[in-house]
Amino acid sequence: VTLYMPMIPELPVAMLACARIGAPHSVVYAGFSADALATRMNSADSEFLVTCDGYYRRGDAVRLKNKADTACINVDRPVTSVVVDRLEGFDSSLGDAEYDYDALVDDHARERVAPVERDAGDELFVIYTSGTTGEPKKVTHTTGGYLSYVSWTSHAVLDVKPEDTYWCAADIGWITGHSYIVYGPLALGTTSVMYEGTPDYPDKDRLWEIVENYGVNQLY
């Protein structure tokens, strides 16, 4: 399952949903091009895409689904898409094999899905190198080793504790965000802060404003 989304709550929700049902996920940074997305989907043999209609960056709307649609044309197999409605006032019509995220959630409200047991060596997710020096390289992270490592480093290196309000100001599209926004702190039961947008918009002190407003006591 490929996830092509900005820093919105639906991204870690989808990651954890994939982990729960034993479906390996691949997060592609939302700033990447349609070609970059198609290359990674082809490499991962991905048949499912979770994306959104767009997002806001420095106050401007970015039409992400346009890039996703272009990428899907260049994927070697049929793709089923789920689309999050993020932009206000934009019509994002859905085609065949495309589903509205909120409608799916409403259709399955209050249902519970049992977690699928996975061996320690089973694949949890794949992530790709940036591709700036050549073809992007696929890196596979397994369930047991990866979760043990990020739980331990969150605790022992970053000193994250369950009672903290902790913020890693990276992007989930990179391995730092996977590890120290999602899997590490949540494995410890810690409150993890997410932020959509750039650290200097609308003002240069945006990071410190968030720290103050949400009582963040650990910042990475």
Side-chain angles (χ1 to χ4, degrees):
V1 181
T2 295
L3 311 174
Y4 185 52
M5 286 188 281
M7 293 282 287
I8 57 177
E10 289 83 358
L11 175 52
V13 167
M15 294 167 67
L16 297 173
C18 288
R20 187 173 183 86
I21 64 173
H25 65 69
S26 171
V27 178
V28 177
Y29 173 58
F32 277 164
S33 68
D35 286 344
L37 174 61
T39 297
R40 287 158 175 77
M41 290 185 69
N42 281 323
S43 172
D45 294 328
S46 185
E47 300 176 26
F48 297 91
L49 174 66
V50 184
T51 187
C52 65
D53 53 358
Y55 60 97
Y56 297 97
R57 182 174 177 83
R58 298 188 185 278
D60 295 325
V62 178
R63 299 302 299 272
L64 192 66
K65 189 173 182 297
N66 291 351
K67 294 197 291 181
D69 290 343
T70 302
C72 287
I73 295 172
N74 296 303
V75 175
D76 297 337
R77 64 198 54 81
V79 176
T80 300
S81 298
V82 177
V83 182
V84 177
D85 185 6
R86 173 68 183 89
L87 294 179
E88 298 176 1
F90 283 87
D91 177 40
S92 183
S93 57
L94 300 179
D96 295 336
E98 293 185 333
Y99 298 88
D100 179 81
Y101 179 98
D102 291 329
L104 286 176
V105 171
D106 291 342
D107 289 345
H108 298 278
R110 293 178 295 279
E111 291 184 21
R112 183 175 179 84
V113 178
V116 174
E117 290 189 9
R118 300 286 275 164
D119 290 336
D122 286 342
E123 187 176 15
L124 177 63
F125 66 85
V126 299
I127 190 168
Y128 287 84
T129 58
S130 63
T132 51
T133 59
E135 195 74 16
K137 300 169 185 66
K138 180 170 75 170
V139 182
T140 300
H141 290 275
T142 56
T143 302
Y146 173 78
L147 288 173
S148 297
Y149 181 79
V150 295
S151 300
W152 180 81
T153 51
S154 295
H155 162 73
V157 179
L158 299 181
D159 194 31
V160 174
K161 298 175 288 296
E163 60 269 21
D164 288 333
T165 298
Y166 156 83
W167 181 25
C168 170
D171 190 290
I172 293 175
W174 308 112
I175 190 61
T176 298
H178 280 61
S179 302
Y180 301 117
I181 297 174
V182 184
Y183 286 110
L186 296 184
L188 299 177
T190 304
T191 298
S192 182
V193 175
M194 274 181 65
Y195 170 58
E196 178 189 7
T198 55
D200 59 352
Y201 181 86
D203 300 301
K204 299 293 185 182
D205 61 351
R206 183 63 172 150
L207 261 67
W208 309 117
E209 180 185 3
I210 292 170
V211 166
E212 182 176 22
N213 287 348
Y214 294 97
V216 173
N217 65 302
Q218 290 280 38
L219 174 65
Y220 174 27

